[in-house]
Amino acid sequence: MRTSSILIPSLISVLPSFVYAQPIQVQLAMNYQHQNVSHYLVSEKYDGVRAYWDGQQLWTRHGRLIRAPKAFTANFPSQPLDGELWIDYHHFSDIEGLLEQQHTTKAQWQAVHYMVFDLPSIKAPFSSRYRRLEKLLTTTDGPIHLVKQEQVDDQTALKAKLTQVVQHGGEGLVLHRKSSLYLPGRSGHLLKYKPYEDAEATVIGYRPGQGKYQGMVGALTVRTHDGKTFAVGSGLDDELRAHPPKIGSQITFRYNGLTKYDKPRFPRFLRIYHAL
């Protein structure tokens, strides 16, 4: 199978707070649909910000230069890496907030980890790339960490591992097909397995609150990219009900499958979405 080349960002504009470039063509996960787990290596899914190291600089997958202090990347290797910038469980907003700041300090980055799971420029099956990544990172210290991959015997073991990860605060699992090359875009070679699904939607209106929420927002009316319109009220705290996301802004919501009308079941507000 012919593979697409990895595109290293070419700068197109410079703003006071950050640099933008063309989006990075990284590999993206599809949802796990009971595929044969024996063909995959499994790792924990970290709820961080996707970060691509091009050998010199860090970029978000949307093509934004991450202005990490030089001390943070001082021991990074010269070859490209794919991973997540992560602080700790339930601290996604902290890493997101850090990347939104115009100026940051070395001290602010001390709690940040770069969780690496792939070598995107190596034209070899994932199992081979992982072995090379293990050797590469054994000589590297500091904030860079290898995301451990392991073989799982069957779906029962996979569910048990998911339960274990979620119980200690993790988001879910990622399955890498052992025989696959690094293929930018979405494919069944990379799967995510979580106790719920999540997606983005645009805020198009508000529903008024009732009872103790009188005078506040009861729910957000949102529309997904494929035109589905519904309300998201669960998950909104009092601050968001008093000062809701602006019309036209995007949110991330989680849900449990689809209804018979092909709309998200039990949608719950997760966070305001920022395309980092």
Side-chain angles (χ1 to χ4, degrees), residues 40-84:
Y40 294 82
L41 290 175
V42 180
S43 64
E44 180 172 343
K45 186 179 189 303
Y46 291 90
D47 189 19
V49 172
R50 187 75 171 267
Y52 181 93
W53 171 252
D54 67 5
Q56 296 181 316
Q57 295 175 309
L58 281 169
W59 301 84
T60 71
R61 73 181 183 90
H62 291 289
R64 173 173 157 182
L65 176 65
I66 299 171
R67 295 189 181 280
K70 290 184 178 180
F72 183 81
T73 59
N75 294 322
F76 283 22
S78 59
Q79 65 189 104
L81 303 172
D82 196 358
E84 295 267 335

Side-chain angles (χ1 to χ4, degrees), residues 57-189:
Q57 295 175 309
L58 281 169
W59 301 84
T60 71
R61 73 181 183 90
H62 291 289
R64 173 173 157 182
L65 176 65
I66 299 171
R67 295 189 181 280
K70 290 184 178 180
F72 183 81
T73 59
N75 294 322
F76 283 22
S78 59
Q79 65 189 104
L81 303 172
D82 196 358
E84 295 267 335
L85 289 174
W86 182 76
I87 292 180
D88 203 346
Y89 299 112
H90 311 301
H91 282 265
F92 176 84
S93 59
D94 293 334
I95 185 64
E96 184 183 51
L98 181 64
L99 298 188
E100 288 286 349
Q101 293 183 41
Q102 185 170 350
H103 302 289
T104 59
T105 65
K106 177 181 175 182
Q108 289 176 291
W109 282 80
Q110 287 182 345
V112 180
H113 308 279
Y114 186 35
M115 312 301 292
V116 180
F117 48 73
D118 213 334
L119 287 169
S121 64
I122 303 299
K123 291 181 172 60
F126 177 72
S127 56
S128 298
R129 299 200 305 275
Y130 177 62
R131 288 194 295 271
R132 293 179 65 166
L133 191 58
E134 279 185 305
K135 293 179 180 179
L136 179 66
L137 298 187
T138 54
T139 58
T140 305
D141 56 11
I144 190 167
H145 305 279
L146 174 71
V147 174
K148 296 292 184 182
Q149 307 285 340
E150 64 179 277
Q151 180 71 55
V152 174
D153 294 332
D154 51 35
Q155 290 185 8
T156 300
L158 186 70
K159 287 183 179 179
K161 184 171 179 61
L162 176 66
T163 299
Q164 180 186 33
V165 166
V166 171
Q167 284 178 345
H168 75 234
E171 185 185 27
L173 302 175
V174 176
L175 291 77
H176 279 90
R177 191 174 182 88
K178 291 182 286 187
S179 62
S180 70
L181 300 178
Y182 191 97
L183 300 172
R186 295 191 189 276
S187 77
H189 298 304

